[in-house]
Amino acid sequence: MEKIVISGGKKLCGKIDVSGAKNAALAIIPGAILAQDVCRIENIPNISDVAMMLKILSHIGAKVRAINEHTVEIDSTNIISHTVSHDLTKYFRASYYMIGALLGRFSKARVAMPGGCDFGGVRPIDQHIKGFELLGASIFLDEDAIVDASADSLTGTNVYLDTVSVGATVNIMLASVKAKGMTVIENAAKEPHVVDLANFLNSMGADVRGAGTDVIKIRGADSLHGCTYSIIPDQIEAGTYMVAVAAAGGDVLINNVIPKHLDSITAKLVECGIEIDEFDESVLVRSFGRPTKCNIKTMPHPGFPTDMQPQMAVLLSLASGTSIINEGVWDSRFRYVEQLSRMGVSIKVDGKLAVIEGVDHLKGAPVKADDLRAGAAMVIAGLAARGTTEIENVIYIDRGYEDIVEKLRSVGADISRVTVPGMEFAVAN
Ligand code: EPZ
């Protein structure tokens, strides 16, 4: 097993290049199987969730060829199987996109229930199922927690999502893009990665309109063809580094971003007294004093992203005054507070609310990453803390952050990755 070790208190200065968006890549790669052709996908992040998704495609018969570290060619001509077993789906949440993609390709899918980040609450898929059934699929969960979906053929329909759901929006798009007739998704998610999937599918000859609004219309296409497509930069990775600079201090140019995607994060950091200059494809973040308090309510896009909530809690723990975070997306997403409390934060959690009393400084300590974004929060806390922080369960961080140790070291952080002797084969719990 590996740990990340950080000696905190170093200012960050220099430039960081952001990778392609994890949550766009995880939606787009399954989309490649919708055409019996070759798709070339560029700017793919080199992270373990993406590697797992590509492994799934290989497993069902696609030919996956790595052109370089960030480009793959996927030939889906000879896919033979519509079944994805638990040993492939259990590591991450987005494996359930294979249900929509296989339904879209074959009108049938047998996909084991997914794994993924456990923030401490349930992560239902009832809205995904609702969409598939309205398209004409019959769905049941068999004894091995396999989602079995099948239809003679899929027919366009109207789906009103009871709750704004990125996953359900993506899965219904994938399933409906070759259905007969028009599908309308109302109360759709508007995240940048939803728009990126729509643009990718349209590059394949699909007819998806309205992505980025809460009504997406998909006119079923008879067939799709291959394409070359470059994935958007990762909004959450960029935001994570912005908050790292804000908390540790310094000035860093964060490159390969779409500033518009960062609006809510930028607005909150400016409210905390952080200086941010926007350029065409980068943002310059400067932080020299103690941040000031602010209140945050996480919401679906264009609201403040829930995937930035743990990271912001660290910054607000160092702010002057009392801040409140209201988690508006997940039923519970404050499990990480227990680990942060070991570093001297003063956070009181009550259901979806966290009240944060700013403290003068954090103290380095041994902590665990409970999930991907909690792990990112531990890294930020370690960078800002006095003393040494050791972070276990690095496997969660590697699911969503390419080269996080190297990127932070390149701007002056004293950070390294070490293998824990004798724990080489231990698996994160
Ligand atoms: C996606 O998860 C992201 N994951 C999550 O990011 C992110 O936190 C989330 O969207 C919200 O932005 C990927 O894109 C792979 P949802 P998803 O469906 O699709 C409820 C990360 O760190 N809901 O938008 O699973 C659900 O319980 C990860 O990169 C239902 O009730 O999230 C939640 O309260 C962590 N029924 C809300 O909707 C459903 O059928 C939003 O969930 C589906 C969702």
Side-chain angles (χ1 to χ4, degrees), residues 22-23 96 123-127 165-167 307 329-330 373:
K22 165 177 92 83
N23 293 343
Y96 61 18
R123 294 182 72 178
I125 65 167
D126 57 299
Q127 298 300 301
S165 161
V166 168
D307 293 345
V329 174
W330 294 101
R373 306 304 174 183

Side-chain angles (χ1 to χ4, degrees), residues 22-23 26 93-94 96-97 117 119 122-128 163-168 191 193 306-307 329-331 333 372-373:
K22 165 177 92 83
N23 293 343
L26 293 175
R93 183 92 188 143
Y96 61 18
Y97 290 154
C117 286
F119 325 122
V122 292
R123 294 182 72 178
I125 65 167
D126 57 299
Q127 298 300 301
H128 302 236
T163 179
V164 175
S165 161
V166 168
E191 272 69 7
H193 31 288
T306 175
D307 293 345
V329 174
W330 294 101
D331 285 344
R333 192 177 192 166
L372 165 57
R373 306 304 174 183

Side-chain angles (χ1 to χ4, degrees), residues 1 30 58 60 70 133 151 153 162 192 203 206 220 246 253 271 359 374 406 415 426:
M1 180 182 280
S58 300
I60 62 171
H70 299 118
E133 288 178 337
S153 65
D162 302 344
S203 301
L253 184 69
E271 206 178 314
V359 295
E406 294 75 10
I415 180 172

